[in-house]
Amino acid sequence: MQLRFVTIPIAALQLSGSMAADRAAGEIYVIAHPGLQVTERDVRDIYLGEKELAVGIKLAPVDNANEQREFLATVLKLDVTKYNALWTKKSFRDALNPPPVRINDAEVIQAVMRTPGGIGYVRVAPPGVLVVAKYSL
């Protein structure tokens, strides 16, 4: 059995490191279905289950698995454990379900676009949605 060594140029390693740094230092956009009327002040209440309707439309928030930790820390000032505990209590006490979790930005965007009460958070806001808020990480 012969071993092979692969050399990776240092520039490639530096690039991948800077891409990770850019991602960590980026922004999160809260987006909503274009017909929805919500404001930045509503975001916290929506994700904590305190606001369920906006102008007669049932809100349908979705969580983004790839961005959840950053969103919770930046916007809600919670970690994942506290967020899940909050929703467990709400499920039993108020019979509310937590926002469903989508895997990535593409799935969140798709859910928001096809649901009249859809609201979610992504790293890059696409055209055709309402940008409710922008948070720097």
Side-chain angles (χ1 to χ4, degrees):
M1 176 181 217
Q2 184 179 19
L3 293 176
R4 278 192 190 174
F5 293 96
V6 177
T7 58
I8 300 172
I10 291 180
L13 292 173
Q14 290 171 336
L15 178 60
S16 66
S18 70
M19 287 171 41
D22 288 346
R23 181 170 171 71
E27 298 166 332
I28 286 188
Y29 294 87
V30 176
I31 60 169
H33 188 275
L36 198 57
Q37 293 180 12
V38 293
T39 67
E40 183 175 353
R41 281 182 261 142
D42 296 325
V43 172
R44 182 173 174 80
D45 289 343
I46 291 168
Y47 276 92
L48 295 179
E50 301 298 323
K51 183 175 178 88
E52 297 179 60
L53 296 171
V55 191
I57 297 174
K58 181 162 177 41
L59 296 169
V62 294
D63 277 317
N64 184 337
N66 286 346
E67 311 303 338
Q68 189 177 44
R69 287 189 193 284
E70 291 86 358
F71 175 78
L72 294 177
T74 303
V75 179
L76 302 184
K77 309 296 188 229
L78 295 171
D79 62 27
V80 174
T81 303
K82 288 180 183 174
Y83 182 69
N84 289 337
L86 176 136
W87 275 105
T88 299
K89 288 177 189 174
K90 284 206 166 287
S91 294
F92 287 108
R93 186 179 53 213
D94 302 330
L96 293 176
N97 293 320
V101 178
R102 301 292 185 244
I103 300 301
N104 55 34
D105 283 10
E107 287 190 13
V108 170
I109 293 165
Q110 186 179 29
V112 167
M113 292 295 290
R114 73 171 179 246
T115 309
I119 185 167
Y121 49 91
V122 294
R123 281 295 181 120
V124 178
V129 296
L130 170 67
V131 175
V132 176
K134 178 174 104 173
Y135 299 94
S136 295
L137 301 176

